[in-house]
Amino acid sequence: PIFYGLANRLPNILFVDVPVTESNANLHQGLGIPSLPFGHIYTPAGGLVEELRITRPLFPIFAKKLRSYIAGSCELVEGEVTSPYEKGKKEDTIPS
């Protein structure tokens, strides 16, 4: 429901829901998806730019990251050196 809600609020962004079935299990494995639900963010210039779990508690991080790519920038707090998306939870994203 929250995935579809965000998709409805951002009609100019392409959202793709790829359910796991017997016929596409290899696709999920080939994309290196470690668990479900999982999200990828792609941009025209950068291709795949983010990979992260999108469980209910982590979905706000996904939404914030997506909005920063739409805006072309992210908020940085002066003097901070940590990610503006993570609240001390490095395990929430998959390193590239």
Side-chain angles (χ1 to χ4, degrees):
I2 56 177
F3 175 83
Y4 298 111
L6 184 61
N8 286 333
R9 287 191 302 278
L10 299 170
N12 295 329
I13 304 300
L14 177 62
F15 285 78
V16 179
D17 182 12
V18 183
V20 178
T21 65
E22 286 183 31
S23 63
N24 72 3
N26 290 337
L27 171 66
H28 287 82
Q29 291 172 351
L31 290 172
I33 296 173
S35 63
L36 296 174
F38 199 78
H40 283 175
I41 298 175
Y42 294 84
T43 66
L48 176 61
V49 292
E50 297 284 345
E51 300 179 283
L52 60 157
R53 294 184 304 162
I54 54 172
T55 58
R56 183 173 294 277
L58 301 176
F59 197 83
I61 295 170
F62 172 78
K64 188 173 183 178
K65 285 184 178 191
L66 178 60
R67 286 190 176 102
S68 73
Y69 282 103
I70 294 167
S73 64
C74 65
E75 178 184 336
L76 297 176
V77 179
E78 188 172 333
E80 289 287 324
V81 293
T82 59
S83 169
Y85 305 107
E86 311 301 325
K87 295 181 181 175
K89 297 182 179 179
K90 292 188 179 195
E91 70 275 6
D92 292 346
T93 61
I94 304 298
S96 346

